[in-house]
Structures are given as structure tokens and as C-alpha cells.
Amino acid sequence: MIGLSTSIVFVGGLIGVVGLALGIAGLVTAGRTGVGRGRAVAGVVASALAIVVSVLAAVLLVRYADRTQDCYQPDSLQEYRQCVQQHLTGN
């Protein structure tokens, strides 16, 4: 769950990978002992979701940066906002 809650700041993707590995190990253990399968499945699902959200956030950030790269040397915050608005709306 930590990976999912921090996935928006990209650290969650790394934590999600660790969680995914531990969840899979938990599934293997649950298969042998018959205990804890539900928690292991929840861990695998939450970890996979954290990885997906982190990748999606990274893609959107790169797309935003690419579309607004001409705006990174403004003289003021107002100029930056106007430049970003123009680039994102196509005006």
C-alpha cells in the first residue's frame, strides 16, 4: 500500500517492484501453507497498480515537459503561465 500511495512521486514504482516480488513470494508461501493467500493477492494487485500509476505519471510529466519546453526561460511566473497555456491549448 505504501507503493500505491507514493506512486505519484515515482518512488512508488520502485517500492511497487519490491512489493510485487514480496507479494509473489507470499503467494508461493500461501500455496504451500494455505494461509495468507488473500493478503498476498492484495499485495500483488496494489503493487502492480503502484507501478502502473508511476509509469503513467512519468509519461504524463514527460509529455507536459515536451509540450512546454519553450516556456522554461520566462522573465516572470505570469509569462510562464501564459506560455504554458498557449502551448497546451494550441493557441
Side-chain angles (χ1 to χ4, degrees), residues 5-42:
S5 64
T6 62
S7 61
I8 198 70
V9 291
F10 311 117
V11 175
L14 299 174
I15 295 171
V17 170
V18 172
L20 188 62
L22 292 174
I24 291 170
L27 280 174
V28 170
T29 302
R32 284 186 287 136
T33 64
V35 178
R37 180 167 171 75
R39 287 185 184 178
V41 169

